[in-house]
């Protein structure tokens, strides 16, 4: 028995050391689909690249697979991709690429240990990148930057570094450095390897000598740039920066090699009770995403869990802490976009999809019995709000059903007023309303119309004393709504109004996120 424990512990250490779990963040069109495909190709998870051609011929990149995505040719949900590369086991969580993303995108970032940030060389830091980066910053997730589309005319690389530093408040430490862009893009110099890789658009990069002009440029960079420090990177203070062209694949492997080297292995995770380290032998995990009806042929629900400690085995019995109940996890699955494969064993850092018999809620902690509650899976304040109009009033029950389900998945949030039974919905991205309309019809047979409400900011309100909170709610009764857990939320038309309120009501705290994990709240359902 002792031998078995030692063997298991060795296995766990070994697997832990080679695992890397990351997500890609970017603004739409920066090339996330393209680079994801290149990463999967490098990892041998797919054999043929087809982004551009496939999109044009109305087939789709492998990570865009939901019905609505096919219809619109965009990624709406995040899928999980697993591949092996140079001895590493990589979990890449694909976040939605469209500008109108959902909370799901934000929440996905709570399940990773590092992030690849894609920047379009011509556009620099864009709106969505900023929002997503902000979430990484909140969690202190290390970020690697890849400046993409160097084969097109882009901005000056110094200017881009400046843009990243100013807009995101993170220091840049270029690892590769480009010479020229667009038709004059000659390649990149790898500053760590002291090697020049030339680009000719078609062939594999070649090592080459560098021109005297470029040599000068590099010396300038040595003098001006921030030296890389792994510690600074791990604290999310320094971003190593790479340049390349995802469409041709140039520079992608250079980036991936370094990312896997420097990115942290599965990190310890905070629970309310204690910090859980990956190498602990008992299994623990949390659910960060629930997806209903992934396969319309089987109306199933899949819970995505991120393993935090121990070894997961197929048919294992786990304890759902919130429900105080043991269940056997059925059909543990790893995903390569649309393809699923059953797995026998999984380790910390791995993302596994498990069959959800309608039990799980986002933020659930699974253990082998210990009462743990993992933290840090917040609900983010919606920025768009809509009222729904049911075409057939007799379908109210189905509507509620569907909305409950969609809010558990994190696609939308439901709000109601103190009186009356009208349900309004809020979302982080406006596209969600179309997704909801589409899915309510396709999956629940309910036809609705939605109408935008004149709000753009929501904040959960908290006060030290109930009387203060009550008085505020009386004052602002028109704009007070309640979320699914009966917590009061104020909806406002602008940030300007929020600032006004913050000044006028110093005893009220206006919160942009709400932790899902309060035990009291989670019991409702
Ligand atoms: P996204 O998932 O971040 O939204 O971006 P996606 O990969 O779909 O790329 C957006 C557009 O940018 C695509 O062109 C894609 O071909 C192009 N692209 C991506 N990487 C590079 C690159 O390194 N260099 C150049 N020149 N282009 C790149 P599109 O015309 O919008 O779509 P398509 O019709 O070509 O598929």
């Amino acid at each position: 028995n002792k031998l078995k424990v030692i063997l298991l512990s060795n296995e766990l250490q070994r697997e832990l050391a080679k695992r890397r779990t990351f997500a890609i963040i970017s603004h739409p069109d920066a090339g996330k689909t393209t680079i994801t495909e290149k990463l999967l190709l490098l990892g041998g998870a797919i054999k043929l690249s087809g982004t551009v051609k496939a999109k044009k011929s109305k087939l789709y990149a492998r990570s865009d697979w939901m019905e609505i995505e096919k219809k619109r040719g965009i990624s709406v949900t995040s899928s999980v991709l697993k591949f092996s590369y140079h001895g590493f086991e990589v979990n890449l969580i694909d976040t939605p690429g469209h500008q109108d993303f959902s909370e799901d995108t934000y929440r996905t970032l709570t399940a990773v240990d590092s992030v690849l940030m894609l920047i379009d060389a011509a556009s620099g830091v864009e709106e969505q990148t900023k929002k997503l980066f902000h979430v990484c910053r909140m969690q202190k997730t290390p970020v690697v930057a890849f400046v993409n589309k160097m084969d097109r005319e882009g901005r000056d690389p110094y200017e881009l570094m400046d843009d990243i530093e100013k807009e995101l408040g993170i220091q840049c430490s270029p690892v590769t450095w480009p010479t020229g862009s667009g038709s004059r893009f000659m390649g990149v110099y790898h500053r760590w390897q002291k090697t020049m890789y030339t680009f000719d658009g078609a062939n594999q990069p070649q090592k080459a000598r560098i021109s005297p002009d470029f040599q000068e440029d590099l010396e300038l960079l040595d003098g001006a740039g921030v030296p890389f420090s792994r510690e600074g990177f791990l604290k999310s203070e320094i971003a190593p920066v790479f340049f390349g062209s995802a469409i041709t694949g140039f520079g992608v492997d250079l980036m991936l090699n370094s990312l896997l080297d420097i990115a942290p292995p599965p990190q310890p995770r905070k629970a309310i009770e204690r910090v859980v380290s990956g190498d602990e032998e008992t299994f623990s995990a949390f659910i960060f995403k629930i997806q209903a009806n992934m396969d319309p042929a089987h109306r199933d629900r899949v819970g995505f869990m991120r393993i935090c400690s121990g070894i997961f085995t197929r048919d294992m019995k786990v304890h759902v802490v919130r429900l105080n109940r043991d269940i056997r996890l059925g059909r543990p699955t790893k995903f390569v976009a649309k393809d699923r494969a059953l797995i026998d064993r999984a380790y910390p850092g791995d993302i596994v999809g498990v069959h959800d018999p309608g039990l799980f809620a986002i933020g659930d902690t699974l253990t082998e019995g210990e009462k743990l509650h993992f933290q840090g899976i917040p609900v983010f304040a919606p920025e768009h709000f809509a009222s729904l109009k049911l075409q057939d009033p007799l379908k109210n029950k189905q509507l509620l059903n569907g909305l409950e389900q969609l809010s558990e998945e994190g696609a939308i949030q439901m709000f109601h007023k103190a009186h009356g039974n009208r349900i309004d919905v809020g979302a982080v991205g406006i596209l969600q309303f179309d997704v909801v309309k589409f899915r309510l019809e396709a999956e629940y047979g309910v036809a609705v119309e939605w109408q935008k409400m004149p709000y753009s900011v929501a904040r959960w309100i908290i006060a030290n004393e109930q009387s203060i909170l009550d008085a505020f709610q009386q004052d602002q009764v028109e704009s007070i709504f309640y979320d699914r857990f009966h917590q009061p939320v104020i909806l406002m038309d602008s940030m300007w109004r929020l600032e006004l309120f913050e000044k006028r009501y110093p005893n009220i705290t206006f919160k942009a996120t709400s932790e899902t994990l309060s035990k009291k709240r989670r019991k409702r359902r």
Side-chain angles (χ1 to χ4, degrees):
N1 211 11
K2 214 170 181 184
L3 182 67
K4 199 175 154 204
V5 170
I6 293 172
L7 284 178
L8 279 179
S9 153
N10 285 350
E11 175 186 351
L12 187 57
Q13 295 288 355
R14 200 175 52 237
E15 296 295 333
L16 206 57
K18 60 184 187 188
R19 266 171 176 72
R20 298 291 183 272
T21 302
F22 70 96
I24 306 179
I25 61 172
S26 67
H27 193 79
D29 266 354
K32 192 156 62 64
T33 313
T34 312
I35 202 166
T36 301
E37 276 218 347
K38 290 294 185 261
L39 294 173
L40 292 178
L41 275 170
L42 283 171
I46 55 173
K47 297 282 174 269
L48 270 179
S49 161
T51 328
V52 180
K53 270 191 237 99
K55 262 194 189 166
K56 289 205 166 121
S57 66
K58 298 275 173 260
L59 291 165
Y60 298 91
R62 284 170 72 111
S63 42
D64 297 5
W65 43 266
M66 258 182 68
E67 186 81 8
I68 186 152
E69 298 184 334
K70 280 191 256 160
K71 254 190 150 166
R72 294 182 173 231
I74 50 169
S75 335
V76 185
T77 53
S78 38
S79 39
V80 184
L81 310 158
K82 177 132 209 284
F83 61 93
S84 315
Y85 179 75
H86 288 191
F88 288 99
E89 291 299 319
V90 184
N91 288 280
L92 167 58
I93 316 192
D94 187 18
T95 51
H98 194 270
Q99 62 183 24
D100 286 310
F101 52 34
S102 71
E103 241 194 293
D104 217 35
T105 317
Y106 286 159
R107 222 162 17 222
T108 294
L109 297 174
T110 65
V112 300
D113 301 298
S114 55
V115 154
L116 171 62
M117 174 172 74
L118 215 56
I119 306 269
D120 182 322
S123 322
V125 175
E126 295 171 89
E127 213 40 50
Q128 223 70 308
T129 317
K130 271 195 236 170
K131 283 191 188 173
L132 291 163
F133 179 84
H134 185 70
V135 178
C136 300
R137 187 28 80 73
M138 252 167 52
Q139 300 165 181
K140 293 211 173 3
T141 311
V143 172
V144 170
F146 185 85
V147 178
N148 189 29
K149 306 197 187 179
M150 290 306 293
D151 58 300
R152 271 196 202 158
E153 273 332 299
R155 281 160 67 177
D156 175 74
Y158 283 106
E159 208 184 297
L160 284 164
M161 297 300 96
D162 230 35
D163 191 35
I164 296 176
E165 296 196 347
K166 286 216 180 82
E167 291 290 337
L168 305 179
I170 191 166
Q171 289 188 301
C172 291
S173 177
V175 180
T176 62
W177 190 250
T179 161
S181 72
S183 54
R184 291 168 295 103
F185 180 49
M186 306 292 286
V188 296
Y189 178 76
H190 199 301
R191 297 173 72 216
W192 295 356
Q193 296 177 2
K194 303 202 182 320
T195 305
M196 176 79 202
Y197 292 90
T198 56
F199 171 75
D200 70 1
N203 300 311
Q204 284 293 314
Q206 299 295 322
K207 297 185 182 183
R209 298 176 67 87
I210 47 184
S211 68
D213 276 1
F214 190 48
Q215 182 69 45
E216 225 170 80
D217 197 18
L218 290 172
E219 278 161 21
L220 198 77
L221 188 63
D222 284 342
V226 181
F228 177 75
S229 117
R230 179 137 192 267
E231 205 189 326
F233 164 66
L234 293 178
K235 282 199 212 146
S236 181
E237 286 164 3
I238 296 179
V241 183
F242 296 80
F243 290 80
S245 146
I247 197 127
T248 56
F250 183 85
V252 177
D253 56 342
L254 297 179
M255 180 278 297
L256 182 63
N257 292 339
S258 302
L259 185 149
L260 296 178
D261 267 348
I262 60 175
Q267 291 295 289
R269 194 149 189 116
K270 269 195 204 139
I272 293 176
E273 295 78 3
R274 62 184 187 88
V275 175
V276 178
S277 158
D279 56 9
E280 292 181 23
E281 274 149 36
T282 44
F283 165 84
S284 69
F286 66 90
I287 303 275
F288 68 96
K289 175 183 166 69
I290 293 169
Q291 173 85 59
N293 310 334
M294 273 174 72
D295 181 352
H298 313 94
R299 292 180 56 97
D300 59 353
R301 228 167 93 135
V302 174
F304 288 86
M305 64 176 182
R306 143 111 196 191
I307 300 177
C308 300
S309 66
I311 300 178
F312 171 78
T313 51
R314 195 195 291 193
D315 289 327
M316 183 173 192
K317 215 196 240 167
V318 301
H319 184 70
V320 186
V321 176
R322 176 180 50 92
L323 301 172
N324 191 22
R325 183 169 159 184
D326 289 345
I327 62 163
R328 208 171 282 287
L329 291 180
R331 301 207 294 271
T333 311
K334 70 174 179 182
F335 292 81
V336 176
K338 198 170 178 4
D339 304 331
R340 309 162 169 208
L342 278 183
I343 53 158
D344 290 317
R345 275 171 117 65
Y347 304 90
D350 281 344
I351 309 293
V352 177
V354 288
H355 173 69
D356 173 15
L359 283 177
F360 295 141
I362 282 168
D364 266 349
T365 301
L366 312 178
T367 66
E368 283 186 43
E370 189 179 348
K371 303 275 178 242
L372 287 175
H373 298 82
F374 284 116
Q375 288 180 293
I377 306 145
V379 175
F380 294 87
E383 290 164 27
H384 303 274
F385 301 86
S387 56
L388 298 182
K389 192 162 181 296
L390 194 57
Q391 283 181 358
D392 175 356
L394 292 178
K395 295 225 160 144
N396 202 35
K397 200 164 154 231
Q398 285 93 322
L399 174 68
L400 275 179
N401 236 337
L403 288 178
E404 283 272 348
Q405 179 90 70
L406 291 168
S407 30
E408 265 167 30
E409 281 175 41
I412 46 146
Q413 292 172 40
M414 294 160 71
F415 294 97
H416 62 272
K417 300 285 295 181
H419 301 290
N421 45 19
R422 193 186 81 200
I423 301 282
D424 297 317
V425 293
V428 170
I430 197 166
L431 172 75
Q432 288 306 314
F433 300 134
D434 276 342
V435 173
V436 164
K437 178 179 154 69
F438 181 89
R439 289 191 54 190
L440 282 173
E441 200 158 335
E443 293 162 25
Y444 302 89
V446 185
V448 293
E449 291 303 326
W450 62 270
Q451 197 174 19
K452 204 164 158 29
M453 295 166 83
Y455 303 111
S456 58
V457 181
R459 290 292 181 269
W460 281 271
I461 48 174
I462 297 173
N464 282 337
E465 285 168 42
Q466 188 62 37
S467 59
I468 296 175
L469 197 62
D470 290 345
F472 179 73
Q473 294 187 65
Q474 287 278 311
D475 261 16
Q476 301 300 330
V477 67
E478 285 301 313
S479 335
I480 301 289
F481 289 71
Y482 297 87
D483 71 6
R484 219 153 50 93
F485 308 108
H486 299 294
Q487 303 187 108
V489 178
I490 181 161
L491 304 192
M492 293 159 283
D493 58 356
S494 63
M495 288 303 281
W496 178 83
R497 192 163 315 272
L498 170 64
E499 279 161 28
L500 195 81
F501 278 150
E502 282 174 332
K503 281 202 195 99
R504 197 183 294 166
Y505 298 96
N507 294 331
I508 302 277
T509 309
F510 296 86
K511 285 192 65 189
T513 56
S514 143
E515 275 275 334
T516 55
L517 282 172
S518 141
K519 285 178 243 173
K520 194 174 85 221
R521 265 187 290 138
R522 303 299 322 168
K523 286 233 169 79
R524 213 195 139 246
R525 246 203 58 178

